[in-house]
């Protein structure tokens, strides 16, 4: 998927996190692309969470692009 800036690879991953600390459960629910000016993000969500909180993180080298949980 491409964003409006033409970048095909997201700059961030979007997760819903339920719980706290070591007991937190992370579920990837989307991707984000940073604006060219660095002042914001465009989000694409594949699910809309009803519980938990949204967390936006830069991808790590060990994040798997096929959607498997990496946390």
């Amino acid at each position: 998927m491409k964003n409006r800036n033409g970048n095909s690879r997201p700059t961030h991953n979007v997760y819903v996190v339920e719980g706290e600390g070591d007991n937190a459960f992370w579920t990837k629910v989307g991707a984000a692309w940073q604006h060219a000016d660095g002042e914001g993000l465009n989000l694409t969500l594949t699910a809309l969470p009803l519980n938990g909180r949204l967390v936006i993180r830069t991808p790590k080298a060990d994040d798997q692009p096929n959607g498997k949980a990496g946390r």
Side-chain angles (χ1 to χ4, degrees), residues 17-26 53 71:
V17 181
E18 296 181 81
E20 298 292 330
D22 291 340
N23 295 325
F25 185 76
W26 292 62
R53 63 190 181 278
R71 302 227 183 267

Side-chain angles (χ1 to χ4, degrees), residues 1 6-7 12 23 29-31 36 43 46 49 54 59 62-63 65 70:
M1 169 181 288
N7 297 331
H12 295 75
N23 295 325
V29 294
L43 302 176
T46 57
L54 288 176
D62 62 349
D63 283 348

Side-chain angles (χ1 to χ4, degrees), residues 5-62:
N5 295 334
N7 297 331
S8 59
R9 177 166 281 180
T11 58
H12 295 75
N13 291 324
V14 182
Y15 300 90
V16 62
V17 181
E18 296 181 81
E20 298 292 330
D22 291 340
N23 295 325
F25 185 76
W26 292 62
T27 304
K28 186 175 178 185
V29 294
W33 290 262
Q34 189 164 16
H35 293 178
D37 64 5
E39 295 291 323
L41 299 164
N42 288 340
L43 302 176
T44 299
L45 300 177
T46 57
L48 188 60
L50 299 176
N51 297 317
R53 63 190 181 278
L54 288 176
V55 176
I56 302 171
R57 308 257 319 170
T58 55
K60 293 185 177 181
D62 62 349

